[in-house]
Amino acid sequence: MDTQVIIALVIVILAAAALTLAAVSLLKKEIEASRRETVQAVQSAVNGLGQLLADVQRQTGELQDKRLAELNAQLTERNDTLQKTVTSMLMQMDQRLKGSAMENEQKLENMRTAMENRLTAIQEDNGKRLEEMRATVDEKLQKTLETRITQSFQLVSQRLEEVYKGLGEMQSLAAGVGDLKKVLSNVKTRGILGEIQLGAILEQILSPEQYEKDVCTKAGSGDRVEFAIKLPGDQEGVVYLPIDAKFPADAYSKLMEAYEGGNGAEVELAAVQLVRAIKTSAKYIHDKYIDPPGTTDFGILFLPFEGLYAEVVRRGLVEVLQREYKINIAGPTTMAALLNSLQMGFKTLAIQKRSGEVWRTLGAVRTEFDKFDEVLKAAQKRLVMVNEDIDKLVGVRTRGIRRKLRDVEKLSEAESVQVLGMEGDGGEDAGGAGTDPERDGEEGE
């Protein structure tokens, strides 16, 4: 009995253990399934959060792009508005300057016309009272005219002699034209030729105080540029515009020979050498002579021949040199045009600076002209008084003398000539003069 009970208890215990194991296994499975669900839920939440972050980032990027586009549009609009405003102000200033110049010119013309009219009136008024001085003036004018004509003939003779000398020099120059090739074959003489041509153009267009020769434009450097135009700077200072003449004759002559030969490869090779020589010259000018603010930020490379300048332009070097070295190319014609433009700017600046001085001068002229008018009026009064005295002397006194001599018996012409001791030719004049005054006296009475 005890054994059976024990066995039953063992069976019960084993059954309970088996149930416990089954329950534990089932619990593990449930826990594993719950863990998996939790992991899947976490992964799903992470994926959703990533998607949400991606959407937020995309919306933020789109909003930022939109804001940047709006800001760019606003900046562009403000830049256009500012540019239009500056352009309008510049046009208004230009129109005001032109209007001021025209107004000043019109005022000067009106004053000149008024002065001419006044002087014409004064001359006409004085011409009526200076008839008696005309003979003396004519004599002096005749002498002066003869002197001037003599001087003119002498001047013409001198000019003819100079012309003859010039013709002789031209003949000598024509005889020495063959030596030009020898001159151009020397590098130093080529540079001197370009410098002389550039100096001649500057001398013809600008005044001596508007440019300088052999100027050291870069501080601390001993390099001197051939010519430099003096531009007005701040506070009455001077800013130099360097100009240097270069003539790569070897490369240019090779290019011309290649053109004449008609060989494309030689043409391209010579063109490359010419481009290299021009760039080397531009770099030399930029490094040696340009030094802002003492100079402009650009320089000018002068080419002494139009054919060379046209070849450089055709090769597209103008933009390249301006972009890489800030050097402008100029031939004889373009240099003259550039200098004329600068000269017009100088004249405009001088007119603006001297307009006040012109008005002061005109004011002084007006003051002196008023004094001149007063002096003329005083002289006119004196002339009127002298005329009145002469009228009194000729009229009243003469009529009184004639009345006194009315009863005196007149002599014949021969007797009057004998008594007065006058010559025969003057007798008739004396007798006639004695008769006419008497008749005039009677008419006056």
Side-chain angles (χ1 to χ4, degrees):
M1 184 71 179
D2 294 333
T3 305
Q4 292 178 350
V5 171
I6 292 170
I7 293 170
L9 290 172
V10 170
I11 292 171
V12 170
I13 293 170
L14 291 174
L19 290 173
T20 303
L21 291 173
V24 169
S25 177
L26 182 62
L27 182 61
K28 286 181 179 181
K29 292 180 179 180
E30 290 179 355
I31 291 171
E32 183 67 23
S34 176
R35 187 181 66 78
R36 291 177 181 176
E37 291 178 357
T38 303
V39 169
Q40 291 178 356
V42 170
Q43 290 179 351
S44 177
V46 170
N47 293 332
L49 181 60
Q51 184 67 29
L52 180 60
L53 289 175
D55 294 337
V56 170
Q57 186 176 4
R58 180 177 54 80
Q59 293 177 0
T60 303
E62 292 177 354
L63 181 59
Q64 186 176 5
D65 293 338
K66 184 177 180 181
R67 294 289 177 82
L68 289 174
E70 292 177 354
L71 181 60
N72 191 14
Q74 292 178 0
L75 290 175
T76 304
E77 184 179 358
R78 291 181 180 179
N79 190 13
D80 294 339
T81 304
L82 179 60
Q83 187 174 3
K84 291 179 181 179
T85 305
V86 172
T87 304
S88 176
M89 292 177 67
L90 289 175
M91 293 177 64
Q92 291 179 1
M93 290 178 65
D94 190 13
Q95 292 177 358
R96 289 178 181 176
L97 289 175
K98 290 181 179 178
S100 177
M102 293 178 63
E103 184 178 357
N104 292 335
E105 185 177 357
Q106 185 65 31
K107 289 181 179 179
L108 290 173
E109 184 66 23
N110 294 333
M111 293 184 66
R112 187 182 66 81
T113 304
M115 291 176 67
E116 287 180 355
N117 294 333
R118 189 67 178 271
L119 289 173
T120 302
I122 292 172
Q123 289 174 358
E124 292 176 355
D125 184 58
N126 292 335
K128 296 177 182 179
R129 294 173 173 81
L130 299 177
E131 292 294 335
E132 297 178 357
M133 300 173 62
R134 183 169 296 175
T136 305
V137 172
D138 290 339
E139 183 179 357
K140 292 183 179 180
L141 286 176
Q142 184 66 25
K143 292 181 180 179
T144 304
L145 183 60
E146 292 177 355
T147 304
R148 293 289 177 85
I149 290 175
T150 304
Q151 293 177 355
S152 299
F153 276 116
Q154 292 177 355
L155 183 61
V156 170
S157 299
Q158 293 176 359
R159 292 292 184 268
L160 288 175
E161 291 178 359
E162 293 177 359
V163 169
Y164 290 144
K165 292 180 181 178
L167 290 175
E169 293 175 357
M170 289 180 65
Q171 292 176 355
S172 300
L173 181 61
V177 167
D179 299 333
L180 181 60
K181 187 175 182 180
K182 296 180 180 179
V183 173
L184 294 179
S185 62
N186 191 343
V187 177
K188 185 175 181 181
T189 55
R190 286 203 303 264
I192 294 174
L193 178 62
E195 182 179 355
I196 291 174
Q197 187 174 4
L198 177 58
I201 295 174
L202 291 170
E203 184 178 359
Q204 290 177 0
I205 298 177
L206 299 180
S207 59
E209 64 271 7
Q210 290 176 341
Y211 69 95
E212 291 185 7
K213 185 178 180 180
D214 295 332
V215 184
C216 183
T217 59
K218 195 168 186 178
S221 173
D223 298 321
R224 293 183 176 272
V225 67
E226 293 176 355
F227 294 96
I229 299 176
K230 296 192 293 185
L231 302 176
D234 297 336
Q235 297 179 356
E236 301 297 331
V238 174
V239 177
Y240 288 105
L241 171 58
I243 304 176
D244 196 16
K246 299 294 182 182
F247 182 31
D250 297 334
Y252 181 63
S253 61
K254 290 181 180 179
L255 181 60
M256 293 297 102
E257 292 175 358
Y259 277 138
E260 293 176 358
N263 191 338
E266 292 182 357
V267 169
E268 292 300 326
L269 181 60
V272 170
Q273 293 178 358
L274 179 61
V275 170
R276 186 183 300 114
I278 294 296
K279 286 186 176 181
T280 302
S281 299
K283 185 177 184 302
Y284 181 85
I285 295 173
H286 179 271
D287 296 339
K288 296 292 184 179
Y289 305 136
I290 296 179
D291 186 23
T295 65
T296 56
D297 61 347
F298 67 95
I300 297 177
L301 172 60
F302 175 73
L303 302 177
F305 294 101
E306 292 293 345
L308 177 59
Y309 172 74
E311 187 65 29
V312 170
V313 173
R314 193 171 69 85
R315 295 291 171 181
L317 290 177
V318 176
E319 293 81 5
V320 174
L321 297 181
Q322 289 178 350
R323 182 177 63 255
E324 295 181 1
Y325 305 109
K326 293 184 179 181
I327 297 297
N328 293 328
I329 299 293
T333 304
T334 53
M335 176 58 68
L338 175 63
L339 293 179
N340 284 323
S341 301
L342 291 176
Q343 184 73 317
M344 292 298 295
F346 290 152
K347 290 181 179 179
T348 303
L349 183 62
I351 289 173
Q352 293 176 357
K353 290 183 178 180
R354 295 299 178 88
S355 59
E357 297 179 4
V358 170
W359 280 110
R360 288 175 59 86
T361 305
L362 290 176
V365 170
R366 181 177 179 181
T367 302
E368 295 297 328
F369 187 78
D370 292 338
K371 295 180 180 179
F372 179 68
D373 189 17
E374 294 176 358
V375 173
L376 285 178
K377 288 181 180 179
Q380 185 178 8
K381 290 180 180 179
R382 294 191 185 96
L383 290 174
V384 171
M385 294 174 62
V386 171
N387 192 14
E388 291 177 354
D389 293 338
I390 292 174
D391 289 338
K392 290 179 181 179
L393 180 62
V394 174
V396 179
R397 299 294 178 84
T398 303
R399 286 194 295 270
I401 293 172
R402 288 173 181 170
R403 282 197 298 269
K404 297 295 183 180
L405 298 176
R406 182 184 300 172
D407 297 333
V408 177
E409 182 179 357
K410 291 177 21 177
L411 298 177
S412 63
E413 294 181 2
E415 292 176 347
S416 63
V417 169
Q418 184 179 3
V419 171
L420 296 176
M422 299 175 64
E423 296 180 358
D425 293 337
E428 290 183 353
D429 295 338
T435 304
D436 292 338
E438 184 177 356
R439 184 170 64 252
D440 294 338
E442 292 176 356
E443 291 177 357
E445 291 177 357

